[in-house]
Amino acid sequence: VRIVGNSIHDLYYTGISIGWTWGYQESFSGYHVVEGNVVHDIGKGLLSDMGGVYTLGPQPGTTVRCNTIYDVEAYQYGGWGIYLDEGSSHITVEGNVVYNTSHGGFHQHYGRSNVVRDNVFAFGREANVVISRGEPGYLALFFERNIVLSSGSPIFTGGYAQEFALRNIVSDRNILWDVTGNLVICKEQRTGKVYTLEEWRRLGYDRGSLSTDPLLANPQAGDFSPTEGSPAYTLGFRRICPHP
């Protein structure tokens, strides 16, 4: 299935939804392409547990790339830009620009072997990157070469798992920056514990990442293009395609 080049807006729930298998049950969904869509002004504070792009269950070979998602507003919880819900696995998320969300630019509930790279996630009000359930024994997520731009909210947050949910991810070579100058690298939702960048690195995360201004063109006006000389390029960040 190819969902390409659409403008989707003025809705009260999810913009694009693919897959429908709870958890890790056998799935016949896969090799989808969700590319070059613009999804904005959804949720409008009326419904909860929603996203600009929503996935459910294993979907090998699926790619979510080069989409622009903004102004996502949930009523009570769960206004995310890209939302990999229960069991979403073997999905690549790359080259997307997501900003102005009520609960975060990216959320993985739980899943396996997902790759999230070369994206911009900016200005999530509650948090910016959410991993809400950790499962031992395998790698859930590769998170690399992303620009995460905050305005007073945590870069990462974990959810309701007994163990801190971010323990089974690889996160590195990202730019993590807060425009207010008060960087909170992570906040555990269950315990409320807050991590500094140094504490975060001692856990093994983002040792090669940078905490510096990514030098974007005009993020407050919705232009997140790295300018010439942006430190993102030193980390290998690449834009997959132009964004509107």
Side-chain angles (χ1 to χ4, degrees):
V1 174
R2 293 174 54 83
I3 305 172
V4 178
N6 301 283
S7 176
I8 301 170
H9 57 92
D10 250 352
L11 308 173
Y12 295 100
Y13 197 54
T14 287
I16 297 171
S17 179
I18 53 175
W20 194 253
T21 298
W22 294 106
Y24 300 118
Q25 299 178 51
E26 183 181 7
S27 172
F28 299 99
S29 182
Y31 299 95
H32 307 306
V33 175
V34 180
E35 179 177 6
N37 302 284
V38 181
V39 182
H40 65 96
D41 292 289
I42 63 171
K44 297 181 177 288
L46 182 67
L47 296 177
S48 301
D49 198 23
M50 48 162 291
V53 176
Y54 172 91
T55 70
L56 187 66
Q59 301 185 41
T62 289
T63 303
V64 179
R65 65 188 178 212
C66 302
N67 302 284
T68 301
I69 302 168
Y70 61 95
D71 293 347
V72 179
E73 182 78 21
Y75 164 63
Q76 191 174 35
Y77 73 98
W80 296 295
I82 297 176
Y83 180 8
L84 274 53
D85 202 1
E86 297 191 27
S88 293
S89 300
H90 312 293
I91 297 170
T92 298
V93 176
E94 60 185 5
N96 302 282
V97 173
V98 184
Y99 62 100
N100 292 354
T101 58
S102 58
H103 291 81
F106 174 79
H107 175 208
Q108 178 166 309
H109 185 174
Y110 65 87
R112 299 176 180 175
S113 301
N114 295 309
V115 176
V116 179
R117 63 192 177 200
D118 298 311
N119 303 280
V120 175
F121 300 117
F123 305 143
R125 194 161 66 246
E126 183 176 273
N128 292 279
V129 177
V130 184
I131 314 295
S132 63
R133 179 171 162 184
E135 295 179 303
Y138 60 88
L139 198 57
L141 177 67
F142 293 86
F143 190 85
E144 61 180 2
R145 298 198 311 263
N146 300 286
I147 297 172
V148 186
L149 190 64
S150 177
S151 181
S153 60
I155 298 294
F156 297 98
T157 189
Y160 52 80
Q162 289 186 349
E163 296 292 331
F164 180 45
L166 290 171
R167 296 297 172 125
N168 60 339
I169 72 169
V170 171
S171 182
D172 208 1
R173 296 168 64 197
N174 303 294
I175 291 186
L176 313 172
W177 183 247
D178 193 307
V179 297
T180 69
N182 183 29
L183 179 68
V184 176
I185 194 69
C186 182
K187 182 177 180 179
E188 291 187 11
Q189 289 179 339
R190 183 176 62 86
T191 66
K193 177 177 174 55
V194 172
Y195 290 81
T196 65
L197 182 58
E198 291 73 22
E199 292 171 327
W200 183 245
R201 284 174 169 165
R202 283 199 291 271
L203 293 174
Y205 304 119
D206 288 292
R207 290 176 175 172
S209 296
L210 300 176
S211 176
T212 187
D213 189 337
L215 301 179
L216 306 180
N218 191 353
Q220 300 297 342
D223 186 350
F224 295 91
S225 304
T227 59
E228 186 176 354
S230 169
Y233 294 125
T234 68
L235 298 175
F237 181 86
R238 53 193 174 88
R239 296 299 293 274
I240 304 302
C241 59
H243 291 266

